[in-house]
Amino acid sequence: MKPTDRIFVAIDTPEVASARALAESLKGLVGGVKLGLEFFVANGPDGVRAVTAGLDMPLFLDLKLHDIPNTVAGAVRAAVALRPAFLTVHASGGPAMLRAAADAAAEEAVRLGVPRPKVLAVTVLTSLEAADLDAVGQTGPVAAQVERLARLAVGACVDGVVCSPAEVAGLRSALGRDAVLMVPGIRPAWAAANDQKRIMTPGDAIAAGADHLVIGRPITGAADPAAAARRIAEELA
Ligand code: C5P
């Protein structure tokens, strides 16, 4: 994989025009763009199309779906029309929901004649600590719950997981080399940490076993986003 292909830039804004401008300015310099709930709820599928149309940049649609299997399958089918390379579901939705998501992605892609999106599972949100798991009745410690949910997801034919830098090495050995590890919480040595607590540099995360890196503010908040993306890809090379 080329160094640039590893980088998904997190475009965390509700504004279509600025998201589109940012995506255009990063074409060829990153592997794709990540659009999440904030953007999707504000702008819907048309907003997503407005950002990606004609750019030929892979889309990571990070909607973190979590509902009964039938509903998630329907949402996944609707999402496939947007041609995402990756989309996300919550592993805690359980095995039937995970399998329904994976099946729906595969079947709808065949039906539409488009590439199959890879389904990634979110395990334990990094905003949750041991006491939060306890409060919702999940068994800790956090690392054990992350691994349990990750194994569940991959066992249900999900392609991989979104995980924090601290979880990469453990999940790589638990899940094997075929599982996709998509990793946010990445900060080049020269960038501000912002509100991220457990960060890793791009190079260290790849060395630990990450496939793709989700990088937002170090690129989007830079005076020259294209230059920042170029610098990160050069460091990875
Ligand atoms: O700006 P920054 O690089 O911190 O952006 C990281 C992106 O990854 C954001 O879109 C954030 O919501 C997402 N993310 C994260 N930590 C997680 C899961 C997702 O930072 N555990």
Side-chain angles (χ1 to χ4, degrees):
M1 203 185 317
K2 280 189 299 174
T4 45
D5 289 346
R6 295 192 179 273
I7 306 169
F8 275 77
V9 62
I11 301 188
D12 290 314
T13 169
E15 291 163 30
V16 176
S18 55
R20 170 76 192 194
L22 198 53
E24 281 178 2
S25 74
L26 294 170
K27 184 170 162 62
L29 302 174
V30 296
V33 298
K34 182 183 89 101
L35 294 174
L37 264 184
E38 180 183 4
F39 184 89
F40 192 79
V41 172
N43 305 297
D46 287 344
V48 174
R49 285 191 195 92
V51 173
T52 58
L55 280 186
D56 198 23
M57 291 172 85
L59 168 67
F60 172 14
L61 192 58
D62 187 21
L63 302 181
K64 297 187 176 69
L65 303 172
H66 188 177
D67 209 314
I68 60 170
N70 187 58
T71 300
V72 166
V76 167
R77 280 194 296 273
V80 172
L82 296 170
R83 304 257 204 136
F86 296 97
L87 53 85
T88 50
V89 298
H90 269 283
S92 52
M97 190 209 83
L98 292 163
R99 201 170 277 280
D103 288 349
E107 288 161 14
E108 188 66 1
V110 168
R111 199 182 73 80
L112 297 179
V114 300
R116 180 181 75 84
K118 289 193 169 158
V119 178
L120 302 179
V122 174
T123 60
V124 178
L125 294 170
T126 45
S127 52
L128 302 178
E129 297 176 345
D132 301 306
L133 284 194
D134 201 42
V136 296
Q138 291 191 22
T139 309
V142 171
Q145 178 67 352
V146 166
E147 186 174 325
R148 180 184 300 121
L149 289 170
R151 285 182 187 275
L152 175 74
V154 170
C157 297
V158 162
D159 296 283
V161 297
V162 181
C163 67
S164 80
E167 296 158 357
V168 172
L171 288 178
R172 178 56 71 207
S173 70
L175 302 177
R177 46 185 289 261
D178 289 345
V180 176
L181 299 183
M182 174 76 78
V183 183
I186 299 299
R187 288 295 179 269
W190 41 266
N194 313 110
D195 56 355
Q196 295 282 12
K197 297 208 176 80
R198 291 179 291 270
I199 54 178
M200 208 178 259
T201 65
D204 287 349
I206 296 295
D211 296 297
H212 294 287
L213 310 173
V214 176
I215 307 179
R217 288 161 291 180
I219 294 174
T220 60
D224 182 346
R230 220 176 265 120
R231 187 170 173 188
I232 292 169
E234 281 165 11
E235 286 176 16
L236 286 177

